[in-house]
Amino acid sequence: METLAVIGSGTMGHSITLNAAWAGIDVKMYGQDEEDTGKGLLNLNKKLEVLLQNDLVTVAEFENIKARIRVTHAIEDAAEGATFIIETIPEDLVMKQALFIQLDKLCGPEVIIASNTSGLSITQIAGAALFPERILVTHFWNPAHLVPLVEVLRTDKTNDNTFVRAMDLLRMMNKKPIHIKKDVPGLVGNRLQFALFREAQYLLEEGIASKEDIDSAVINSLGLRLPVTGPILSADMGGLDVFAAISDYLFKDLSNAEHASEFLKKLVGENKLGDKTGEGFYTWDKEFSHTMNQRREQELIRFLKQDRENK
């Protein structure tokens, strides 16, 4: 049983902390100051209340989960006694490098230090590490306590013991880890997600369909099949001769854009950033925001319950 420290109490940090405590693991959550940790704990407790309301935890488990969590805004306190550390700070290479150097000095060589990054090179993050053999990526997906996937990437210096311990911990946390074999930007999940988003931007900018119909095309076709069959298994089921033929004539017509669309850049330039600013592709008033966030959460909970029933 590992003793976990999560560095960061924001969107990913508090959700990973909840996930670990829910799995029976003692965990410390670090935030920059009392306000930071207080906000993280508030958001964590809201998510825990939802789990209780949906019968994913009992009243007794609810209290036990809370008892396993301790918050701190002292990095030395967070590292003390930890056997496994996951950092979830902002995606800034210099910040992450500085944090890893600091943790490297605070922790014995047996303590694993993992990054939640999906976009930055773990090789660069760990470049100045004293013990690079204990460093790797464990990339959780948002919301981390409900989405099963974690992408695990080792560097060429990560040893087997580190990798095995990371996979064991993640499985203990009821996650479904996958092994990423090469250090590439976006790992696997984001590369697939943004390939779809690139084509969606193209279809919208070219006026081929409305934003509502583009979203509907995914929700009412791919979205229904993907929980059962991923893209490669789907190809096997559909017939590789068919998929090869379609690839030959369709690939050359797909978007190969190297940058965000001009329309997306225009929205960002106008500070229309989506849910967090009230407008993006869609208009996000309080009612729409509440409805969509709740609908997504409930759907993830439904899948989680189904997955646990099938075990």
Side-chain angles (χ1 to χ4, degrees):
M1 177 72 76
E2 305 281 1
T3 300
L4 184 64
V6 177
I7 308 301
S9 55
T11 300
M12 297 304 297
H14 77 262
S15 190
I16 294 171
T17 299
L18 172 56
N19 194 150
W22 188 8
I25 298 165
D26 290 330
V27 55
K28 283 189 278 190
M29 180 175 71
Y30 165 85
Q32 289 184 316
D33 50 39
E34 288 187 14
E35 182 181 355
D36 200 29
T37 53
K39 184 178 179 181
L41 199 55
L42 177 65
N43 289 327
L44 186 155
N45 286 330
K46 286 180 180 178
K47 289 178 172 62
L48 185 52
E49 288 281 356
V50 172
L51 298 182
L52 181 64
Q53 293 162 10
N54 284 273
D55 300 318
L56 282 166
V57 299
T58 65
V59 173
E61 288 169 334
F62 179 92
E63 295 301 329
N64 287 336
I65 289 168
K66 292 177 72 172
R68 292 187 193 106
I69 297 167
R70 191 162 74 79
V71 299
T72 180
H73 49 87
I75 193 72
E76 296 82 5
D77 182 30
E80 186 178 4
T83 63
F84 201 112
I85 296 175
I86 300 173
E87 71 81 8
T88 67
I89 68 172
E91 290 287 84
D92 181 294
L93 179 60
V94 174
M95 285 178 61
K96 286 187 188 289
Q97 287 174 330
L99 175 63
F100 270 65
I101 290 170
Q102 187 177 18
L103 291 173
D104 223 4
K105 295 174 181 176
L106 289 172
C107 304
E110 75 286 350
V111 179
I112 292 174
I113 305 176
S115 174
N116 188 58
T117 189
S118 68
L120 297 176
S121 166
I122 188 61
T123 302
Q124 287 185 287
I125 292 172
L130 296 172
F131 305 104
E133 65 275 7
R134 48 97 166 266
I135 292 174
L136 77 172
V137 169
T138 55
H139 175 241
F140 291 73
W141 278 64
N142 183 37
H145 65 297
L146 296 179
V147 178
L149 178 67
V150 180
E151 296 171 288
V152 180
L153 169 68
R154 30 189 321 181
T155 74
D156 58 357
K157 296 180 181 178
T158 307
N159 65 29
D160 290 341
N161 180 60
T162 296
F163 178 74
V164 169
R165 279 176 59 191
M167 297 295 275
D168 286 347
L169 173 65
L170 293 168
R171 292 188 182 106
M172 187 180 296
M173 291 171 65
N174 297 306
K175 310 317 280 183
K176 294 186 177 178
I178 64 170
H179 179 198
I180 311 298
K181 297 181 179 180
K182 292 185 179 181
D183 188 356
V184 294
L187 304 180
V188 170
N190 268 329
R191 292 178 78 95
L192 293 170
Q193 177 177 223
F194 277 84
L196 179 61
F197 183 49
R198 178 169 65 181
E199 191 61 30
Q201 290 181 71
Y202 174 78
L203 293 169
L204 182 61
E205 195 161 53
E206 291 295 308
I208 294 167
S210 69
K211 62 181 182 293
E212 293 86 358
D213 283 346
I214 293 168
D215 282 342
S216 182
V218 175
I219 292 166
N220 295 301
S221 64
L222 299 177
L224 298 177
R225 294 195 315 204
L226 287 175
V228 181
T229 60
I232 295 175
L233 183 56
S234 291
D236 263 2
M237 294 182 75
L240 295 184
D241 53 337
V242 175
F243 273 70
I246 294 174
S247 296
D248 283 344
Y249 80 75
L250 186 58
F251 276 13
K252 61 180 177 289
D253 200 48
L254 295 177
S255 172
N256 62 357
E258 295 183 358
H259 304 283
S261 71
E262 291 304 314
F263 183 58
L264 177 55
K265 289 179 181 178
K266 180 175 181 292
L267 291 175
V268 172
E270 295 171 352
N271 201 40
K272 295 177 179 178
L273 308 180
D275 190 6
K276 62 184 177 182
T277 60
E279 187 176 358
F281 289 107
Y282 292 83
T283 299
W284 291 82
D285 57 31
K286 287 185 178 179
E287 182 179 355
F288 184 68
S289 177
H290 175 74
T291 298
M292 294 311 301
N293 280 283
Q294 187 176 53
R295 186 182 298 175
R296 184 178 72 167
E297 186 175 52
Q298 287 300 314
E299 191 69 1
L300 289 172
I301 286 171
R302 183 177 71 82
F303 279 121
L304 185 60
K305 285 183 173 179
Q306 179 179 303
D307 188 48
R308 293 190 171 200
E309 288 170 2
N310 291 337
K311 280 187 177 180

